[in-house]
Amino acid sequence: MKFKQFSSFIVFACTLLLLASCSKEDKSLRFEGESDNWKSQYFLTQDKDRENGEGSIVYKGSNKDNIGEVTYKIEGDHGSMDKTSTPVDGKMSINDACEGCAKQDSSKPFHVTIKWDGKTEEFELKAK
């Protein structure tokens, strides 16, 4: 009988810990935007101490295999990220994370600049 009570207590305690770890401060945000030749989605997960972002930039044109080297810069409220790479099937991945950093406000867009083949396009990633 004591084992059954102890087991019930353990299950209750684990459930309580699990619920406590799912803080109301956790937030998921989705940003989207596009220009004439590019479109992008960026997903942010924010909690009390961290911000993790992942997404993609996709070429909208028809010749996805011969884009060449692409440089992009994404500027937010509290910083920026930039990268130069060659898209695979017209797609580039975006990944970023920080801990103890200031977080992007969902009411403010990211500004994106993409340079390739002597061309430049800019657009905003807005929360959806």
Side-chain angles (χ1 to χ4, degrees):
M1 187 72 166
K2 285 187 179 190
F3 178 74
K4 193 172 189 179
Q5 287 176 334
F6 182 71
S7 295
S8 295
F9 173 76
I10 294 296
V11 169
F12 176 74
C14 288
T15 302
L16 201 58
L17 277 171
L18 181 63
L19 289 174
S21 68
C22 295
S23 167
K24 290 183 181 180
E25 294 182 38
D26 291 358
K27 197 175 4 175
S28 294
L29 305 169
R30 182 183 77 185
F31 293 83
E32 294 180 2
E34 64 182 284
S35 63
D36 290 340
N37 290 289
W38 300 91
K39 64 181 177 179
S40 180
Q41 284 190 328
Y42 190 57
F43 300 93
L44 278 180
T45 304
Q46 299 172 332
D47 64 24
K48 189 174 107 181
D49 298 321
R50 288 187 61 82
E51 180 173 80
N52 294 314
E54 63 180 52
S56 61
I57 298 174
V58 179
Y59 183 66
K60 295 174 7 180
S62 59
N63 195 2
K64 296 181 189 297
D65 293 329
N66 294 321
I67 301 167
E69 194 171 80
V70 176
T71 299
Y72 67 83
K73 183 173 188 172
I74 301 173
E75 299 172 276
D77 275 355
H78 306 286
S80 65
M81 62 182 129
D82 54 348
K83 184 175 180 181
T84 299
S85 68
T86 302
V88 177
D89 294 326
K91 184 176 180 178
M92 297 177 290
S93 294
I94 308 167
N95 294 297
D96 195 37
C98 64
E99 189 166 339
C101 56
K103 296 176 190 73
Q104 179 74 17
D105 185 333
S106 63
S107 67
K108 302 207 176 151
F110 287 96
H111 182 77
V112 180
T113 304
I114 301 176
K115 296 179 180 183
W116 83 107
D117 195 30
K119 302 172 194 149
T120 300
E121 288 187 5
E122 298 182 29
F123 58 94
E124 302 287 314
L125 289 176
K126 296 179 181 176
K128 299 291 178 179

